[in-house]
Amino acid sequence: MLTLTPGQIEQLETPCLVIDTEQAKKNLLAMQQQADRCNCRLRPHIKTHKMKYFAQLQLRYGASGITCAKVSEAEVMADGGINDIFIAYPMVGDFRIARAIRLHRRIQRLILAVDSRPGAQALSRAATVAGVTLEVRMEVDTGAKRTGVVMENAVELAKYITGLPGLRLTGIYTFKGLVYQAQPTVDKQQAAQEEGAFMAQVAKELEAAGVPVADISAGSTPTGLAVAQTGLVNEIRPGTYIFNDYMLTKEGAATLEDIAGYYYVTVVSTPCDEYAVIDGGTKTFPMDIPLDAPPYHYPGYAIVEGREDLTLRRMNEEHGMLVSKTGRTGLKVGQKLRLIPIHICTAVNLQNQVYLLQDGELILQKVDARGMLV
Amino acid sequence: MLTLTPGQIEQLETPCLVIDTEQAKKNLLAMQQQADRCNCRLRPHIKTHKMKYFAQLQLRYGASGITCAKVSEAEVMADGGINDIFIAYPMVGDFRIARAIRLHRRIQRLILAVDSRPGAQALSRAATVAGVTLEVRMEVDTGAKRTGVVMENAVELAKYITGLPGLRLTGIYTFKGLVYQAQPTVDKQQAAQEEGAFMAQVAKELEAAGVPVADISAGSTPTGLAVAQTGLVNEIRPGTYIFNDYMLTKEGAATLEDIAGYYYVTVVSTPCDEYAVIDGGTKTFPMDIPLDAPPYHYPGYAIVEGREDLTLRRMNEEHGMLVSKTGRTGLKVGQKLRLIPIHICTAVNLQNQVYLLQDGELILQKVDARGMLV
């Protein structure tokens, strides 16, 4: 649990996120040790922290490489000396492929993703022109209903990819996407079992069709460890576990004590008893987790620590209205408050920098890859 | 209406925002001319564009200064040579006041905001210690129910402020906040009339109590011009009018032709007929305007131009699922699409840079003050 001295709280320029580096390290170590115990490689997704510093830490603790969503994110991580990167996102668009090929030449191992014939074709064409062979993984949809080839078409697409020049298919990957799916947490173990079984089945079918599958990759933070424990995959790609958040506590994937990132805000106005205004709104607090949707019915866009009567539901761009259910917030102008993020990944992405508490000292750390959308 | 050549569309690295600079200039000029006609000063809010380039343009066209929400935004604008800045946000927090005093020393005119006794007290204390006199405006709540002193307490607070050393009260300001208030557009003229009347009334009461009021400032993009036309205020602070967005067309404050900012995205996956996946999700498209709330019931988090059957409602961080009501999207992997932003202010804030179309050429422009939250 993050502990700051009164002097340190005074020093904070709000609104801001403060990361408890010790807790983050504990979270990294715990996941690494558990993955090791399952003989499963850990290739963490850096979308949560977007900082070179933490990516380097993940590798030092034993990660086999990192996962990124976009080529622009991967470039930033390569600038930080990261040499083994999987971009787990369909590599589509000539502009993006050109950057990926340049990145391929810079680092030891770059793995790209394909999930369609036209996508594979364009990538093959560009690789051939550039005179390179690109390592690729095929994405399989195991229920998230976003990207990924549907399982019935997996063998056909895999065979197609292996027939293309310039591409070397070495594995398959998936994202089960429990979070956002509004499924009750009791399904988590079962979902992980299913995820592992689906992937093992696809791998078996591919091998039977003459397509060797070296890497079978699955797992987010909610399902990651459970999938590793099935023994049916050999790589997991959780991301949020480094900091955790309120949503993960509801998913049963973390406890409040595991949370390593907190907001601090300042009360700027108390025009009446019923509500107070804090110095963060929709440009500070992400709104991607719907408040009143099942199964968790989040009470607000962030949780005010120790004050269950206060809810943050109404915001403008830079204003957050904290309303008390008791009719009296009791808050004072200038007072600082600590809030728990609902979803830390989109919270970090709104910040240019965060504070790290390291060896008792607060330091400002740039969020290197924030806003890297291409 | 933004027009790009096929070659220019090919050149775009997506997801991205493209700004039609000519249209933006037209919007700036139109607002300036109309404000001039009312003998009302225009002090545009830069929260929408967050770029020095456009702030400089606004001044060149006749703006009397600019408005910012935060001191960190104002610092960026001062770096761009802007010398007259109003930070329309309660100046609360020692860390923020210290930065404001440093900024006060750098530029010709800095106006700060107060809306409470403790806020005014802390500002006065810091100004006295620093040996400076800070120009301040008092915020009055005319119905937005966020910051601002309630009207009944305005005279008392104004008298209190004028009694404090180190502060020079020169005006009052408000934000009526029609947008987000779910009021039908027919109320716009009436709301503007009310806004002007409220402010004139407060000014009159202040003057009667011996507090001179030089500046009476009001108005956002939806109400701005209508308030100026009442002749009851002498400054307006619209922001969104520079680019406009889908929300403003619903508010009746802009037409589709007035929109100067568009998204471009690439289709990355078409796993089935019913939906296609684009390369932007919750880190690209803001979610601050609720989809199914009255009065406008927005169909999605952005509007696909020319394809009313497609809706963007389901997103993950980097995935946007475009669903067709017809059951067939007909979209192809690699295809680029143009989307209209619902709320351009939060859309720009998610970008590190945007494309500007200028004299027929596309150039990349940094969003200088994005993420400036303090």
Side-chain angles (χ1 to χ4, degrees):
Chain A
M1 187 71 80
L2 176 72
T3 311
L4 298 182
T5 65
Q8 285 174 326
I9 294 172
E10 169 121 7
Q11 174 193 336
L12 294 173
E13 302 206 335
T14 65
C16 61
L17 280 174
V18 183
I19 305 294
D20 182 345
T21 309
E22 289 316 303
Q23 185 59 50
K25 285 180 177 175
K26 269 188 214 166
N27 297 340
L28 293 184
L29 270 175
M31 183 65 81
Q32 186 65 53
Q33 285 166 354
Q34 291 177 88
D36 288 348
R37 235 174 272 138
C38 303
N39 276 320
C40 183
R41 290 189 303 276
L42 174 62
R43 183 183 282 280
H45 206 305
I46 60 83
K47 71 182 177 103
T48 305
H49 58 72
K50 286 182 172 268
M51 291 173 245
K52 299 173 195 170
Y53 169 75
F54 284 113
Q56 290 156 355
L57 215 53
Q58 287 170 317
L59 288 175
R60 203 179 319 145
Y61 285 177
S64 64
I66 63 165
T67 305
C68 294
K70 298 294 187 87
V71 68
S72 52
E73 265 181 3
E75 287 165 350
V76 171
M77 293 299 137
D79 291 344
I82 312 293
N83 257 314
D84 189 334
I85 303 177
F86 172 36
I87 303 176
Y89 198 88
M91 186 45 63
V92 168
D94 292 342
F95 57 95
R96 206 161 4 230
I97 293 173
R99 286 171 73 158
I101 289 175
R102 284 199 294 277
L103 183 60
H104 164 85
R105 293 188 161 123
R106 277 176 63 194
I107 63 175
Q108 278 169 18
R109 187 185 186 193
L110 175 66
I111 314 168
L112 304 179
V114 287
D115 79 340
S116 70
R117 282 187 171 227
Q121 226 166 31
L123 200 57
S124 163
R125 207 180 311 122
T128 310
V129 170
V132 295
T133 298
L134 300 171
E135 181 176 357
V136 297
R137 287 183 183 174
M138 184 177 73
E139 184 178 7
V140 182
D141 183 3
T142 56
K145 288 188 180 297
R146 50 182 213 191
T147 49
V149 61
V150 293
M151 277 185 287
E152 307 85 84
N153 300 338
V155 171
E156 191 194 331
L157 179 61
K159 284 169 75 178
Y160 178 78
I161 296 168
T162 52
L164 290 174
L167 302 186
R168 188 162 56 89
L169 182 66
T170 59
I172 53 177
Y173 80 103
T174 195
F175 171 76
K176 187 75 169 68
L178 244 205
V179 179
Y180 305 108
Q181 301 298 313
Q183 292 175 22
T185 51
V186 287
D187 281 351
K188 195 161 65 99
Q189 292 293 327
Q190 192 198 314
Q193 190 62 46
E194 220 176 72
E195 189 175 350
F198 279 154
M199 293 302 278
Q201 178 63 25
V202 172
K204 207 174 122 189
E205 287 172 19
L206 261 60
E207 300 265 5
V211 180
V213 179
D215 300 317
I216 307 175
S217 177
S220 54
T221 295
T223 63
L225 273 181
V227 180
Q229 282 157 2
T230 64
L232 298 169
V233 306
N234 56 23
E235 181 187 287
I236 53 170
R237 307 183 318 279
T240 320
Y241 76 102
I242 182 170
F243 300 149
N244 297 306
D245 54 28
Y246 194 74
M247 182 163 63
L248 282 177
T249 69
K250 291 292 172 187
E251 293 276 347
T255 66
L256 282 174
E257 287 68 36
D258 299 328
I259 292 179
Y262 291 87
Y263 282 108
Y264 274 86
V265 299
T266 300
V267 176
V268 294
S269 188
T270 57
C272 60
D273 286 346
E274 296 77 22
Y275 67 86
V277 184
I278 55 173
D279 54 354
T282 64
K283 286 177 175 169
T284 298
F285 299 101
M287 298 176 78
D288 55 333
I289 307 303
L291 293 189
D292 296 312
Y296 304 121
H297 305 278
Y298 294 99
Y301 295 111
I303 307 294
V304 186
E305 223 186 19
R307 285 293 303 269
E308 279 186 22
D309 63 311
L310 295 178
T311 53
L312 178 64
R313 297 178 66 93
R314 186 163 67 92
M315 302 195 284
N316 287 162
E317 288 166 47
E318 306 284 8
H319 298 72
M321 274 55 79
L322 280 182
V323 179
S324 175
K325 285 175 199 162
T326 69
R328 286 190 89 86
T329 68
L331 297 173
K332 301 248 172 298
V333 168
Q335 186 178 345
K336 279 180 176 164
L337 298 172
R338 183 154 119 170
L339 286 82
I340 306 172
I342 301 289
H343 187 195
I344 189 72
C345 307
T346 40
V348 169
N349 187 55
L350 287 171
Q351 314 295 318
N352 287 342
Q353 68 267 318
V354 297
Y355 289 96
L356 302 184
L357 181 69
Q358 253 174 1
D359 303 322
E361 300 289 324
L362 280 178
I363 59 163
L364 265 180
Q365 165 70 53
K366 189 183 170 203
V367 181
D368 305 296
R370 71 119 268 120
M372 293 298 168
L373 298 174
V374 174
Chain B
M1 185 71 81
L2 177 70
T3 311
L4 299 182
T5 66
Q8 284 174 326
I9 294 172
E10 170 122 6
Q11 174 193 339
L12 295 173
E13 302 206 335
T14 64
C16 62
L17 281 175
V18 182
I19 305 294
D20 182 345
T21 309
E22 288 316 302
Q23 184 60 50
K25 285 180 178 174
K26 269 187 216 166
N27 297 340
L28 294 184
L29 270 177
M31 183 67 82
Q32 187 65 54
Q33 284 166 354
Q34 290 177 89
D36 288 348
R37 235 173 273 140
C38 304
N39 276 318
C40 183
R41 288 189 304 275
L42 174 63
R43 183 183 281 279
H45 206 306
I46 60 84
K47 71 182 177 103
T48 305
H49 58 74
K50 284 181 173 268
M51 291 173 246
K52 299 172 195 170
Y53 168 74
F54 284 112
Q56 289 156 355
L57 214 52
Q58 286 170 318
L59 289 175
R60 203 178 321 144
Y61 285 176
S64 64
I66 63 165
T67 305
C68 295
K70 298 295 185 85
V71 68
S72 52
E73 266 181 0
E75 288 165 351
V76 171
M77 293 299 135
D79 292 344
I82 312 294
N83 257 315
D84 188 335
I85 303 177
F86 171 36
I87 303 176
Y89 198 89
M91 186 46 62
V92 169
D94 291 344
F95 57 95
R96 209 166 354 235
I97 293 174
R99 287 171 72 159
I101 288 175
R102 284 199 295 276
L103 183 60
H104 164 86
R105 292 186 162 125
R106 277 177 64 195
I107 63 175
Q108 277 170 17
R109 185 186 185 192
L110 176 67
I111 314 167
L112 303 179
V114 288
D115 78 342
S116 70
R117 283 187 172 228
Q121 225 165 32
L123 199 58
S124 162
R125 208 181 311 120
T128 310
V129 170
V132 295
T133 298
L134 299 171
E135 180 177 358
V136 298
R137 287 183 184 175
M138 183 177 76
E139 184 178 7
V140 182
D141 183 4
T142 54
K145 288 187 179 298
R146 52 182 213 190
T147 49
V149 63
V150 293
M151 276 184 286
E152 308 85 84
N153 300 339
V155 170
E156 191 194 331
L157 179 60
K159 285 169 72 176
Y160 178 78
I161 296 167
T162 52
L164 290 173
L167 303 185
R168 188 164 55 90
L169 181 66
T170 58
I172 54 177
Y173 79 103
T174 196
F175 171 77
K176 187 78 170 66
L178 243 204
V179 180
Y180 306 108
Q181 301 297 314
Q183 291 174 23
T185 50
V186 286
D187 281 350
K188 196 163 65 99
Q189 291 293 328
Q190 192 196 317
Q193 189 63 44
E194 218 176 74
E195 188 176 350
F198 280 154
M199 293 303 277
Q201 177 63 24
V202 172
K204 205 174 126 190
E205 287 173 19
L206 261 61
E207 300 264 6
V211 180
V213 180
D215 300 316
I216 308 176
S217 175
S220 54
T221 294
T223 62
L225 274 181
V227 180
Q229 282 157 3
T230 65
L232 297 168
V233 306
N234 56 24
E235 180 186 287
I236 53 169
R237 308 183 317 281
T240 320
Y241 76 102
I242 182 172
F243 300 149
N244 297 305
D245 54 27
Y246 194 74
M247 181 163 64
L248 283 177
T249 69
K250 290 292 173 188
E251 293 275 349
T255 67
L256 283 173
E257 286 66 38
D258 298 328
I259 293 180
Y262 291 87
Y263 283 109
Y264 274 86
V265 300
T266 300
V267 176
V268 294
S269 188
T270 57
C272 61
D273 286 346
E274 295 78 22
Y275 66 86
V277 184
I278 55 172
D279 55 354
T282 63
K283 286 178 174 168
T284 299
F285 299 101
M287 298 176 76
D288 55 334
I289 306 304
L291 294 190
D292 297 311
Y296 305 122
H297 305 279
Y298 294 99
Y301 295 111
I303 306 295
V304 186
E305 220 186 20
R307 286 291 305 267
E308 279 186 22
D309 63 310
L310 295 177
T311 52
L312 178 65
R313 297 178 68 92
R314 186 163 67 90
M315 302 194 285
N316 287 163
E317 288 166 48
E318 306 285 9
H319 298 72
M321 273 56 79
L322 280 184
V323 180
S324 174
K325 285 176 199 161
T326 68
R328 288 189 90 85
T329 68
L331 297 173
K332 302 247 172 300
V333 168
Q335 185 177 347
K336 281 182 174 161
L337 298 172
R338 183 154 118 171
L339 287 81
I340 305 171
I342 301 290
H343 187 193
I344 189 71
C345 308
T346 42
V348 169
N349 187 54
L350 287 171
Q351 315 294 317
N352 286 343
Q353 68 268 317
V354 296
Y355 290 96
L356 301 185
L357 181 68
Q358 252 175 2
D359 302 322
E361 300 288 322
L362 280 178
I363 60 164
L364 266 179
Q365 166 69 51
K366 188 182 172 205
V367 182
D368 305 295
R370 70 122 265 122
M372 292 297 167
L373 299 173
V374 174

